[in-house]
């Protein structure tokens, strides 16, 4: 092939790549309080969560890749809410049916049912065909599953997931929880790059509960992740929505976007700031040189409406679709955001 023809081919290739776009969607904490378990019970030992996500499913499904934080272990019986969660497997099934492609499992409740619960959760998600990240039955399984890179409309997107802790409950055997650890994070990000990840997403379970602005530990970790070369950070745990910020990223054209906390995707929390959450939409594109970049990051709000005489279950609504009776509460939630 002559140099002239090669130049034309390269020009056409770059032009086609410049039009390439993809949207990632991230939801906050999918909780499982006792009232949610009770509302979903349809028969002894049977629980149906389908109605919880029917209103939000179109929004989730229109994204090219959707991720949710599963903030509860799964179990076969003895289902419980706070403080030690244990949810039916049908809860995960309903989230999958709503359009979520990846479940995050590294959070402070992942050991609520100890090592046995972690292992059951991993096995249940595997049986449902749901990719998951953050906890593993042993180090060998972690090594086999990572680095996790997904092809999203031609973008090679790598994911990591870490938690600040597990409510004082320690691993007893050989299961693995990905705790926040500087050496492990650096090694994981490097492994993703070596494996060809063009975009690296770090999902962090961090911060202080019910605080509307990021605390010092979040800001410090965000800067550390930026220095490691992470492209976008997705935060959770505070159960309230914290703002999007941009952190200096050494040696890069653009600062690194951080969604410090997405709040609750669904829960039975009842205060003004905890009834809702945010969906983070991350738009990917290629620049003029064909390099994958994070173009924009923005929030779309959601609000959970509890059961009523006309609706048996908890339902997650897009903010603009909240039923009239709940619009004042939804407006109060939105107006309090920082």
């Amino acid at each position: 092939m002559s140099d002239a023809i090669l130049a034309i081919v390269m020009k056409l290739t770059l032009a086609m790549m410049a039009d390439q776009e993809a949207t990632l969607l991230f939801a906050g904490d999918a909780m499982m309080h006792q009232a949610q378990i009770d509302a979903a019970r349809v028969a002894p030992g049977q629980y149906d969560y389908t109605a919880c996500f029917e209103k939000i499913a179109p929004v989730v499904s229109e994204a090219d890749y959707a991720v949710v934080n599963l903030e509860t272990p799964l179990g076969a019986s003895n289902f419980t809410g706070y403080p030690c969660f244990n949810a039916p497997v049908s809860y995960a099934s309903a989230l999958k049916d709503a359009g979520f492609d990846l479940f995050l499992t590294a959070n402070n409740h992942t050991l609520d049912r100890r090592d046995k619960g972690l292992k059951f959760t991993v096995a249940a998600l595997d049986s449902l065909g749901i990719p998951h990240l953050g906890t593993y039955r042993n180090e060998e399984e972690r090594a086999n599953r990572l680095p996790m890179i997904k092809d999203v409309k031609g973008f090679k997107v790598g994911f990591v997931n870490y938690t600040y802790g597990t409510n004082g409950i320690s691993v007893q055997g050989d299961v693995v929880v990905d705790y926040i650890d500087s050496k492990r994070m650096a090694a994981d990000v490097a492994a993703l790059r070596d494996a060809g990840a063009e975009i690296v997403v770090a999902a962090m379970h961090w911060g202080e509960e019910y605080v509307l602005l990021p605390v010092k530990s979040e800001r410090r970790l965000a800067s550390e992740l930026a220095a490691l070369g992470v492209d976008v950070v997705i935060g959770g745990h505070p159960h309230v929505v914290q703002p999007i910020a941009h952190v200096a990223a050494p040696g890069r054209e653009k600062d690194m976007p951080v969604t410090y906390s997405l709040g609750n995707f669904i829960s039975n929390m009842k205060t003004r700031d905890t009834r809702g959450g945010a969906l983070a939409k991350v738009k990917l594109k290629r620049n003029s040189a064909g390099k994958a970049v994070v173009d924009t990051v923005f929030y779309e709000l959601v609000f959970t409406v509890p059961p009523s005489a006309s609706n048996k279950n908890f339902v997650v609504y897009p903010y603009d679709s909240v039923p009239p009776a709940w619009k004042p509460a939804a407006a109060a939630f939105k107006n309090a955001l920082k």
Side-chain angles (χ1 to χ4, degrees), residues 201-235:
V201 179
M204 308 297 292
H205 210 71
W206 61 4
E208 293 186 15
E209 292 181 319
Y210 317 121
V211 178
L212 289 170
L213 291 174
V215 297
K216 184 178 180 180
S217 62
E218 291 171 80
R219 299 194 301 269
R220 176 183 57 78
L221 277 167
S223 294
E224 181 178 339
L225 292 164
L228 291 178
V230 170
D231 294 290
V232 60
V233 176
I234 305 296

Side-chain angles (χ1 to χ4, degrees), residues 51-120:
C52 298
F53 309 115
E54 286 180 337
K55 302 296 184 181
I56 200 65
V59 178
V60 176
S61 298
E62 72 182 3
D64 297 307
Y65 200 77
V67 183
V68 64
N69 175 45
L70 180 67
E71 193 151 350
T72 176
L74 302 174
S77 60
N78 299 319
F79 305 119
T80 54
Y82 183 83
C84 288
F85 296 131
N86 189 40
V89 175
S90 57
Y91 184 51
S93 297
L95 286 164
K96 177 186 178 183
D97 291 344
F100 286 105
D101 303 293
L102 174 65
F103 286 19
L104 307 173
T105 57
N107 56 66
N108 59 305
H109 286 285
T110 197
L111 288 177
D112 278 6
R113 290 303 175 114
R114 306 327 194 253
D115 291 29
K116 182 178 180 181
L118 186 156
K119 290 180 178 180
F120 185 96

Side-chain angles (χ1 to χ4, degrees), residues 139-159:
E139 282 286 356
E140 182 181 4
E141 181 176 77
R142 185 183 194 276
N144 290 334
R145 290 185 185 269
L146 300 183
M148 178 177 282
I149 299 176
K150 300 298 182 180
D151 188 316
V152 183
K153 292 186 70 176
F155 293 91
K156 295 187 182 302
V157 184
F159 297 90

Side-chain angles (χ1 to χ4, degrees), residues 143-299:
N144 290 334
R145 290 185 185 269
L146 300 183
M148 178 177 282
I149 299 176
K150 300 298 182 180
D151 188 316
V152 183
K153 292 186 70 176
F155 293 91
K156 295 187 182 302
V157 184
F159 297 90
V160 289
N161 174 213
Y162 307 99
T163 180
Y164 74 93
T166 45
N167 291 344
I169 303 171
S170 300
V171 167
Q172 299 299 309
D174 56 356
V175 302
V176 177
V177 177
D178 275 346
Y179 294 103
I180 293 171
D181 175 87
S182 295
K183 290 183 178 180
R184 172 152 278 192
M185 293 190 302
D188 290 345
V189 172
L192 282 170
R193 293 300 188 190
D194 289 345
E198 298 179 282
I199 298 290
V200 173
V201 179
M204 308 297 292
H205 210 71
W206 61 4
E208 293 186 15
E209 292 181 319
Y210 317 121
V211 178
L212 289 170
L213 291 174
V215 297
K216 184 178 180 180
S217 62
E218 291 171 80
R219 299 194 301 269
R220 176 183 57 78
L221 277 167
S223 294
E224 181 178 339
L225 292 164
L228 291 178
V230 170
D231 294 290
V232 60
V233 176
I234 305 296
H237 173 62
H239 302 300
V240 297
V241 177
Q242 295 178 346
I244 299 171
H246 291 79
V247 174
R252 286 183 277 174
E253 296 179 6
K254 299 175 65 176
D255 291 342
M256 181 189 72
V258 181
T259 68
Y260 276 109
S261 174
L262 300 181
N264 290 327
F265 179 58
I266 185 171
S267 79
N268 184 42
M269 292 188 177
K270 300 174 181 178
T271 64
R272 178 197 65 188
D273 300 333
T274 59
R275 285 190 179 275
L279 301 178
K281 290 193 172 182
V282 178
K283 183 178 177 182
L284 307 180
K285 72 171 189 177
R286 294 191 182 276
N287 62 19
S288 59
K291 178 180 172 59
V293 295
V294 175
D295 183 30
T296 57
V297 179
F298 59 95
Y299 282 164

